Amino acid sequence: MCGLAGYIPSKESSFEEMKLNGSKMIDAIYSRGPDDKGVWVEDHQSLMMSFRRLSILDLSSEGHQPMESASSRYKICFNGEIYNHLELRKSFKGNWRGHSDTETILEVIEQIGVEKALTNFVGMFAIAVWDSEKSELTLARDRIGEKPLYYGWVDKDFVFASELKAIKQFPNFNNCISKAALGNFLKLNYIPAPQSIYEDIFKLEPGSYLKVQLESGGLKCNDPIKYWDLSEVINKGYKNPILDHHEAVYETKKVLSESVKSQMISDVPLGAFLSGGIDSSLITSLMQENSPEKIKTFTIGFENSAFDESKFAKNVANHLGTNHSEYFVTSQETLNVIPYIPEIYDEPFADSSQIPTHLVCKQAKEHVTVALSGDGGDEVFGGYNRYFWSNRVWSKLKWIPYPARKTIGSVILNTPKTFIYNLENFYNYITPKTYSVHQFADKLKKLGSRLQYVYSEDDLYSSLVTQWNDPSIILKDHDESLNDIELPSHEDLKNHAPSRMMFWDSLTYLPDDILCKVDRAAMSVSLETRAPFLDYRLVELAWRLHHTFKMNDKEGKIILRKILDQYIPKTLIERPKAGFGIPVGDWLRGPLKDWAEDLLNEEKINQQGLFNYEPIHKVWAEHLSSSYDHTHKIWSILMFQAWFEAQ
């Protein structure tokens, strides 16, 4: 795992100036690659590319970047891992100098060109390739969006980098905050691609590449082009479905096992995150099956038993015989991470599981340099509660006129918490453990607040993934038309809402929240993470499976459960799905209260000129009084405020 940065100047610059700029930009993301550094300026000073390396494959100097192709035509900066690079070396013969996957990428590009080469790569990557023959820069990102890549303009100069903090080191950076991105952030708690928090700076979307050509009249930047499109994957999957249950289980296990095996290739110590849930337990099981030695597994525990899953992870580790490490963090250790969040996530990001994610990455880094995770299992195989709850809820709501639904929502919101907690205890008492609901009261309250926005089942999904439903309430001078991120339609999915939700989550929530969270948390401590569930061949296979192999109206990831049964007893796994969380809502009323009130200070907010103070104050007062749990809404404002102050 590494970091890259570069730029194309709009006016003549000296070699020394460009090299100095490149050094400043790449040093801003030192933690992405502490092992090596390279800065390269094109002979005519038309391009600068710089790189920081975290050595994983080929630890020798032969893996140094920016790397030049054998013919000297291409120069590359590559962040990520190509898991099939050894197979590619057999297919594309070359005069190899080392054994890095970067050299393999260059040789494939040399033989068949950048566009065709991208379709041959199995892995995660962000790539910048300079073609000296065409005077053309190509930026490309992996199919699912595991590795980040930003690009855009600072004044008239074209810039690109793995993280915004590198771009902000570019001379005279003064790009304004994007109101459109801020509006979407308030809705989602993350900023969806292609937007970034700054105007004129964008995220390259997953499965895309962008060409920038230097011409006599200046610079020409084309629109990004898709080389892999999830919509097309779904089209093909529905035309060639797997309908036999035994075939589905066999093929899924085969492809997932191959993915795990390929992602275990490393020249440095490797391990796995283990929460004791279905996804991480299955990845760990397959890793141990493919390893002659005990694999290293890592988990963290918390003082608050409601958020502590370490005992489940330990039981799984003992059953599989892994070399397990668990680290119990105190509330104070968790709180100590918060001041560093703006530095780790260099644009506003408000998924509070960012904190424990950082802590488990920090723990793992003490023992390994690479860690495999179960990320993607929920989106690919239907694991989120909303997928199978939405059908049940909507089947009852759709018969109720909208005004009545709105009234029901109001009744739920005004029901005393004690009554809801008693209802939760009664529900879980009479319900089999498999179907019990984690944080029942909070989810019921959330449903109540959402009912006033729900006209259809798709609206139900949107409301469930939205925090501030109407950002114009708190955002000054907000133009709703600027929020151009819309849920795409798909003809094949029109009759199955949970599949539509999986499609939308895979396009937005997965790359822009989950994968962003893990990448920044891991890279802040120089740890590489890999996600076997996100091998694009497994994703394509999953969309060939009938949805009944993934979920029913009671549970998800059915096919993964079937495979996991071959390794681990159900009694060690079956329990209500819980997020990787911490009690942020309680902390905001306790040890974080002073910190929060300072950031939510009326004078401070009015000085910034971005937010209306009154609605924020109202939500904050309701949260402090415990009449409502506004954790997610408050956390989004606090994360923006903390980021804004850090700038």
Side-chain angles (χ1 to χ4, degrees), residues 287-301:
M287 287 179 70
Q288 191 59 73
E289 184 177 57
N290 283 289
S291 174
E293 301 175 352
K294 289 186 175 183
I295 65 166
K296 296 181 175 70
T297 52
F298 306 95
T299 191
I300 55 173

Side-chain angles (χ1 to χ4, degrees), residues 252 377-383 502 533 538 542 545 550 557 559-560:
T252 301
D378 287 311
E379 294 83 1
V380 177
F381 290 97
M502 291 171 59
F533 281 118
L538 184 63
L545 305 178
K550 302 175 192 175
K557 294 187 284 201
I559 198 164
L560 299 187

Side-chain angles (χ1 to χ4, degrees), residues 185-196:
F185 168 72
L186 293 173
K187 280 187 172 184
L188 302 170
N189 280 0
Y190 61 87
I191 297 173
Q195 295 174 337
S196 86

Side-chain angles (χ1 to χ4, degrees), residues 271 307 335 457 463 466:
F307 295 87
L335 293 168
E457 193 167 3
S463 71
T466 299

Side-chain angles (χ1 to χ4, degrees), residues 408-453:
I408 292 170
S410 178
V411 170
I412 292 173
L413 290 175
N414 289 296
T415 300
K417 266 197 169 184
T418 52
F419 179 82
I420 292 179
Y421 286 136
N422 289 334
L423 181 63
E424 175 181 11
N425 292 333
F426 177 72
Y427 173 84
N428 287 333
Y429 176 76
I430 65 171
T431 304
K433 187 177 180 181
T434 306
Y435 305 142
S436 60
V437 180
H438 184 67
Q439 296 179 317
F440 176 94
D442 289 339
K443 288 173 181 174
L444 187 61
K445 283 278 190 180
K446 189 173 184 179
L447 174 63
S449 67
R450 301 305 194 236
L451 285 176
Q452 57 188 311
Y453 297 98

Side-chain angles (χ1 to χ4, degrees), residues 4-29 37-41 45 47-51 157-161 165-173:
L4 58 88
Y7 73 96
I8 298 174
S10 58
K11 56 184 181 295
E12 189 173 325
S13 300
S14 69
F15 178 88
E16 291 76 14
E17 179 187 5
M18 292 184 70
K19 192 147 190 176
L20 178 62
N21 291 338
S23 188
K24 287 181 178 178
M25 291 176 73
I26 203 63
D27 285 348
I29 51 176
K37 171 184 174 179
V39 180
W40 173 78
V41 177
Q45 288 84 54
L47 169 74
M48 185 286 299
M49 294 171 70
S50 55
F51 192 75
D157 298 313
F158 182 83
V159 294
F160 59 94
K165 57 174 65 76
I167 290 175
K168 288 176 62 181
Q169 287 300 311
F170 189 75
N172 303 316
F173 177 89

Side-chain angles (χ1 to χ4, degrees), residues 202 248 512 515 547 606:
F202 308 94
D512 296 323
L515 298 180
H547 62 75
N606 289 335

